[in-house]
Structure formats: structure tokens, C-alpha cells
Amino acid sequence: MRLKQPFLKITIAAALTSTVGMGAVISSLSFLPVSHAAAASITVTEAASEQALKTLNSFYKPALKGQFPGSVSGLTVGKSTRKDVSKLIGEPYNKGDNSDAFDIYHAEMGNPGYAFSFRLDKIREMRYFGTNVERGTNIGGITMRMLRKNWYAPESTTTIKNGKTKQTKITYLRGQYKLEFIFNSSTELDHINLMHS
């Protein structure tokens, strides 16, 4: 069976997605005629949106235990210590210098960025900043619309100020914990917070 050339090119682009990543696919679309590139671009966008939804939903159950998913899944708000954090993910890029400050872990090589604040040496709050590479497939692809469509109604929605920036905080109660989604706009999720409710 012989495949038609446009179908073959899109199939190759799809195969690259699963092995190399979205960046390779987007650059590989340049060899497609404009109409085929547009169709493949829609598929790439849908794939990124599906991955962002998986990222969003990965926070739902762990939050009930005071945890984030992924590489920090063993750390628990109110229980784990600064030493536990360092043992699991290393020393912070920037260590907080007072009780309200956060230890900052930058996103590197596809690993997400985190921040931790402590009270009496136990984690008081965790923040998730997502990855810098292919951000649209994780935290960068999570929108307010996606959050509200796929989760139940939030406990609260408030406007907060971060310097000159106005942000929207959407809060969900997960057992004894609060999961807060901090948006810069309806389509730009800045970070996710987890703390005791």
C-alpha cells in the first residue's frame, strides 16, 4: 500500500512528536505546503492541550495528601523538612533568607521549577512553576477555561496584586489542603501553590 505524500509527511511529523518532542515537530512542519502545515499545526496544538490537561489532572489526587506529583511526590506540606527537600532534589538555586521567603529551584533541562517556604523547619507552602522547555504541554497550556471545565467549581476566585501585576487566584480545597492556581491572564497560568487550608 502506498501512502499519499501529504499523509506521509503528517505521519512522519506525528512520529517525531512521540520520539523527539513538540519542538522538532513544529520545525519539521516547514517542509509541508501551507494548507497541510496548518492542518498538522492544529493536531500539534490539540496534542499540547491534551498533555496540559494531563498535567493539570496530575495535581488532583496528590493534593489530598499535601503533595505535588512528579519528582517531588514524596514531599508533604506540614511534614517534610528542608533537609528532606535537599535530599530529594538538591540544594536550592536561591535560599530564602527569612521566614516568609522561599527556597527557589529553577526549571532546568525539562525539569519543572519549584519553590518551598518553611515554618519550624517543615514545608509550609510548595509552589510549582512548570518547565521552560515545551511549556505549552504543561503549566503553560493550562487555562482558566480548562481548569473550570475539568474540575468542580472552585472554593474561591480572587484578584491579587504581585507588584504591578494583577493576578487571579483560583482556590480548590483538597481535604486538609488548599490548591491555588495563580493566573496572570485567563490563558497564562503563572504557578500552582499548595498549603494547609
Side-chain angles (χ1 to χ4, degrees):
M1 178 176 151
R2 192 158 192 265
L3 297 175
K4 292 186 180 181
Q5 193 173 14
F7 179 78
L8 179 62
K9 289 177 182 177
I10 291 172
T11 304
I12 291 168
L16 285 171
T17 301
S18 63
T19 59
V20 181
M22 294 296 210
V25 172
I26 291 167
S27 64
S28 73
L29 294 177
S30 61
F31 68 83
L32 294 175
V34 173
S35 62
H36 297 299
S41 177
I42 291 168
T43 303
V44 168
T45 303
E46 288 172 4
S49 183
E50 285 177 22
Q51 187 58 45
L53 179 58
K54 284 182 186 176
T55 299
L56 169 63
N57 288 334
S58 72
F59 284 85
Y60 195 75
K61 286 185 181 178
L64 283 171
K65 297 188 287 184
Q67 299 179 348
F68 275 158
S71 60
V72 297
S73 63
L75 301 175
T76 305
V77 170
K79 295 180 182 173
S80 299
T81 64
R82 181 176 261 134
K83 186 176 179 180
D84 294 331
V85 175
S86 296
K87 186 176 179 181
L88 187 64
I89 60 174
E91 291 299 315
Y93 171 81
N94 188 12
K95 193 168 185 172
D97 57 2
N98 64 53
S99 61
D100 291 328
F102 284 82
D103 287 358
I104 308 292
Y105 292 82
H106 284 296
E108 295 177 359
M109 297 294 290
N111 293 316
Y114 296 96
F116 299 87
S117 70
F118 299 88
R119 179 180 293 140
L120 302 175
D121 198 44
K122 302 277 174 75
I123 296 173
R124 179 184 64 167
E125 181 179 339
M126 291 194 285
R127 291 186 176 176
Y128 175 83
F129 294 103
T131 60
N132 294 331
V133 178
E134 297 177 357
R135 190 167 174 83
T137 64
N138 62 79
I139 196 170
I142 299 171
T143 64
M144 284 186 193
R145 184 172 181 259
M146 177 188 287
L147 179 60
R148 290 184 169 130
K149 179 181 176 185
N150 291 283
W151 287 27
Y152 54 90
E155 177 68 20
S156 65
T157 301
T158 55
T159 300
I160 58 175
K161 281 193 114 184
N162 182 4
K164 294 182 179 180
T165 306
K166 282 188 179 179
Q167 297 176 310
T168 303
K169 177 171 65 174
I170 300 176
T171 303
Y172 288 88
L173 295 183
R174 300 295 295 139
Q176 302 173 30
Y177 303 95
K178 283 194 300 190
L179 195 58
E180 300 174 337
F181 294 84
I182 311 299
F183 286 90
N184 294 328
S185 71
S186 65
T187 58
E188 184 187 352
L189 177 58
D190 189 73
H191 65 278
I192 301 170
N193 298 335
L194 181 64
M195 67 197 74
H196 269 292
S197 56

